[in-house]
Structure formats: C-alpha cells, structure tokens
Amino acid sequence: PKERFKFTHDKIQQAAYSMVTPRLRASMHYSIGDLIMQNSDTVGLKRILFVATNQLNRGKGAISRRSERVDVATMNLMAGEKAMSSAAFVTAAKYLQTGIGLLRGCQKLCGDELELCLKLYNAAAEAEYINGNFLGAEQLLVWVFANTCSLEEKLPAHLVHIQSLRARMKTDEALSTGLSILEQCGEKFPETPGKASILSSFGKTKYMLRGKSREELSALPVMKNENATAVMLVMNAIISMAYHGKPNLFPLIALRMVQLSVRHGLHRTSAVGFATYGMLLCGHLRDVKRGNYFGDLALSVVARFRANELLAQVSMIVCSFCKHQKYNIGLSMEPLLMGYRVGMQVGDVQWGLTCAQQYCMAALHSGKSLVSLHAEMMTLLHQMKHHKQDMSHFMLSPSVQYVKNLLGGSKCPTEMTGEVMNEEEFLFRCTADNGKPVLSCLMLVYKMKLAYLFGDIELAAKAAKRTRQISSLAPAAYEVYNQAFFDALTSCEMARRCSNSPRIWLKMAKRRLKHLKKVGKYATANCQQKILLIEAELFACKKQNEKASKAFEFAIAKAGEHKFICDEAMAHERAWLFFESIGDTFKASHHHVRAYNCFLEWGAEAKAEELYKERARMEGSSM
C-alpha cells in the first residue's frame, strides 16, 4: 500500500510553506498539477478538474515552454466551462481570464491555438456579461472582432454584444446590429414594415404549416444548414427588442423563425419561433386554440433538445401571452417562477429575470397578498440592479410603484412617482430615440387603474384615452383585459358626472365592454367577473335597478369563485355605492364592510383607508 503523510498541525504546514522560496513554490505547484493530470484518466480528471487547474495556475510562474502554456490554458477553459455549467460565473470568469493571460505570452497564434484563444475570449465575454461586467465583456469582444474574419467566427461575439446592449437599454443599437448581421446572411427585413408585409408573412407561414400535425412538427429533422442556424440565433437575440421598440417588425421575425424551421428542420431556438407564433395567433388573430397549440409545441421542442437555456424565454412567452387567454392567470405563476430559477442557474440572466418580472405581474393580477408580493418585488429589483439588467429593472418598476401606492407608500396615490420610479423620466425614456411604446402604454394602464381606484375619474379618463392603443401594440398581453375593464368603468362614472354628454360616455363604455368580451372570449376565469361588473354599472347608469342588483351579486360571486380578491373588492365597492344611491342602506352597509375587508385582505391599505374616509364623508354630508 502507498504510504501517506500528513502535517500534525496546519500551523506547521504554513510555517514549512513559508520557508519555500516563491520560485520553488511555483515549481512545486506546477509539478503537483502536472502529476494529477498525468495520473488521471478522462473521467478522473473531470472529477478533480478544479484541484488540478488551481495547482497549475499557482505554478504558472514556472512555465517556460509554449506547449505547457497551451496545455494549462486548455485546462482553464475546461474549468471555466464546468464552472459556468454550475452557475459559478464569477469563478468561471477567473479561470477563463487566466487562460487568456497564459496565451498572451505566445507569439503568432494560429490553427488549434487560435481556436483555443477564441473559445477562451468568447466564453470569458459571456461570463463577464452574466456577471454584469459589460465593460469587461466589450473589451474581450474587441479582440474577437479584430482577430476573426468570417461571420461564423464572429457570431458568438455578436450574440453576447447584442445581449449586453439590450441589458443596458441600447435597444436601437442592438436591433441595428442584429438586422445588419441578418442582411449579411441573406435575410432582409423592410425598414418600416406595414400591414401588407405582416399579412403576407402570416399567409406564407400558414401555407407552409398546412396539413402538418403537432407530432410531425415536433419530429422534424434537426437543422443542419449553417446559415439558417446563424439566422435563427440572431433573430432569437433581437426578437424581444423588436417587440418593445418596433412592434411591426416583431411578427415578421417570429414568422420567419417558423418558416426557417419548417424549411430547414428544427433548431433549439425553433421553440422560441413556435412560442411567438402562438402568441401572435392569440393576440393578432384571436385564434386562442391554435395559439395554445403552438405554445405547447414550443415547450415540447425545449424538452426534445433538453434546452434548459431556453426554458425561461419560452416559458415567459407561453405563460404571459398564450395561457392566460384560456386559463386562470394564477396558474402561470409556478411555471414562470420555475423559468426564473432555471434561467438564473444556466446563466440566462436576461430571460430569467424577465420571467421573474412576468411572475410578479401574474401574481399581482391574480390577487396575491400585496405585502408578500412587495417583498418579492424589491428582492428582484435588487437582483436586477446587481446584474446590471437595466431593461428588466425598467420593465418591473411600474408594477412595483403601483403596489407601493396601494400599500400607502406614496404621498399622491394616483402618481406613478415615488421610491422606485419617476413617471416623467419613465415616459421620457420610453419616447427617446425610436421609443418603447409598449412600455409607456403599460405604465399608463397602471396610472389609469390608480386614478380610478382613488376617485380621480377625470385623470383616469385621460389615461384611458392614451392607453387604448395597447390592443394593437400588445394584443396578447393580460393588460389588454384590464385596460378595457377600467376604461369601461371610467366611462360609466364619467356618464354619471357629465350631465351634458352622458350618452357619449355610455357609448364608450359599451364599446369597451364589447372589446373586452371579444378579447376575453375564452378567458372566462380572468374576464367573467369584469364583464359582469361593467354590465352592472351600465344597468345602474340606466336606472335598471333590479338588473343592476343581480349583476353586482353575480360579479361578486364570480370574482370569489375565480379567486380574484381585487376584482371582488371592486365589485363590493361599486355595489355599496349603487345601493347607497337607491336608498338601500342595509345592503349598502354590508357591501361597504365587505369591500373594506377585501381591500385589507389583499393588502391595499391606502385604498381601504380611502374607502373608510369616503363612507365618513358621505355620512357627514347626509346629516
């Protein structure tokens, strides 16, 4: 048996180590690392890869031969890739930067050595991007662009560059970069896409998919065309920026991804193409059944390729834009939370945090306790700031401010300005350059909801008018329901207050109700109580008291059945005001108490307090 030796105490070991000269230490460490390498098979080396690489790195000062530098750099690449696969991105960056430093001492790299160097630089740039060190990533990418010739060699660097630009909200530059690469690959898009281009692309896609079942599509051969593969990767990198910045370009990119997948076979990113196609079917064409069909197909493609790095992105699209068209929004919370966790584990920080942002919105809409949700939101905002994901932080800010206002954390509850964001600055950033119309519209929907809830009906009416374009900008978003809902309620209240033009406002309320019925046709769990409440308000405006009374009770019952405590609270509040207006003080008192308790249970303390004060004002004025 081999003899083993051990120091009797750590201090003795440290003392012995301090007596060794730095040069000899380096030589000893390198020898230990080299011995581990020489005496380990492939499987064994993978198991103790970090130990061997650490020893070699501590002994790099003893390296004299070029071949040794290349070998140790290779070990650092392997260690860096293994660290990244374990979500240890800071550690990975250190290994990869060490490998790069070793090769800097080699003159005139070529062949396998140049390929190794490219792998190190690309992997290091990706690790630095994930760590939020965008400047470090860009510096590494400069070397890659300067030392490569073909688009194939530059592509990994281009993808990291686009992600870095997106994280810093430089969406125009990111889009321009992506579109330029696509043009080099022979895939050109119109500068200002119109409806004709979109309809033509929809028709072409529908024709190509004709007669193909889900099983046939999910079993298509793997894409082997290198140019098509590059195009798919670039389109996947820029598709979210097109959604926010150029809504007419977004469907063209999504449809082109589907077309390439059918023509050349499936790529991992085909899952994103199918998911966004499902989103377009749900939103633009109101074909909810087929939209969810393609959403499920997208998830099956992720499973087929075991593409965990795409799970967050695909889950976000399917859950945020397809599933709620058919199922209760609360059912999307767990898949979105899973997408967030997996995304962060595999280094997909962008889509992992986007999943988290959409999880917060789903939780908010479904009536989760505002107190616990606020704590989660603040944690996520700090995480987004830590990773320097400015875009994700920007997108989450309006919903966080909305929650803060409901909790009583704002001096003026109808203003979207406070601890998290400034309303004017937000709108300015949305309109800068080519703008982000979707985000500005979503923020104004929150403002409209706050204005209505806190009784500033004229402000709500102004915001409602500015947000009606959401149906064309983001037709598959959940906020389309809320916009139509609050727009209709605001119009009913304006009809009561404007004695000279009530018909105009009632006509608008009916129009918005019709729109809500159309967009929420299959989303019964999400929209039924909203539709019933609008109908109750319309009956009340027309003095059809018996019908109004029944509609209010139905709205309250359905909100409770579907577990939307926020909708239930609103329905009780409107019922209170209705019964108060017709002199039924018993029912009015009952609904006021229930509204107050529901708002408190939800966590909307500021609204509950406002409700209490409103009741006191009404009782005082009647005395």
Side-chain angles (χ1 to χ4, degrees), residues 468-606:
R468 284 173 196 144
Q469 62 175 328
I470 194 171
S471 296
S472 56
L473 290 174
Y478 188 89
E479 284 296 356
V480 171
Y481 307 147
N482 278 330
Q483 196 288 326
F485 177 49
F486 280 89
D487 195 350
L489 292 177
T490 300
S491 297
C492 287
E493 191 61 28
M494 286 297 290
R496 292 188 184 95
R497 299 186 182 196
C498 298
S499 57
N500 59 338
S501 57
R503 289 185 179 180
I504 296 174
W505 287 107
L506 286 175
K507 188 176 180 181
M508 176 56 71
K510 290 176 183 177
R511 192 181 302 161
R512 301 314 291 157
L513 172 60
K514 183 180 179 181
H515 180 67
L516 180 57
K517 286 181 175 179
K518 178 184 175 183
V519 297
K521 183 178 179 180
Y522 302 100
T524 305
N526 299 313
C527 296
Q528 189 177 19
Q529 65 277 0
K530 294 177 173 64
I531 291 169
L532 287 168
L533 183 53
I534 297 169
E535 289 176 341
E537 286 285 275
L538 285 169
F539 287 137
C541 287
K542 297 174 185 177
K543 307 297 182 184
Q544 297 176 351
N545 295 343
E546 189 176 341
K547 289 183 177 180
S549 178
K550 288 181 179 178
F552 278 122
E553 295 300 336
F554 283 146
I556 291 165
K558 288 299 177 183
E561 180 185 326
H562 298 143
K563 298 182 180 178
F564 281 82
I565 194 167
C566 39
D567 290 350
E568 186 179 354
M570 284 182 62
H572 277 297
E573 180 186 9
R574 300 313 303 176
W576 158 54
L577 293 170
F578 165 71
F579 286 114
E580 194 76 47
S581 70
I582 64 173
D584 192 337
T585 55
F586 178 79
K587 285 187 177 179
S589 179
H590 164 74
H591 286 295
H592 177 270
V593 171
R594 289 296 298 129
Y596 180 81
N597 288 337
C598 283
F599 278 122
L600 272 186
E601 185 181 342
W602 184 29
E605 293 181 12

Side-chain angles (χ1 to χ4, degrees), residues 13 22 32 39 56 110 125 136 146 153 178 238 299 335 494 510 520 558:
Q13 181 184 7
I32 292 169
N39 291 281
L56 291 169
C110 59
E153 291 175 320
I238 65 172
L299 291 168
M494 286 297 290
K510 290 176 183 177
K558 288 299 177 183

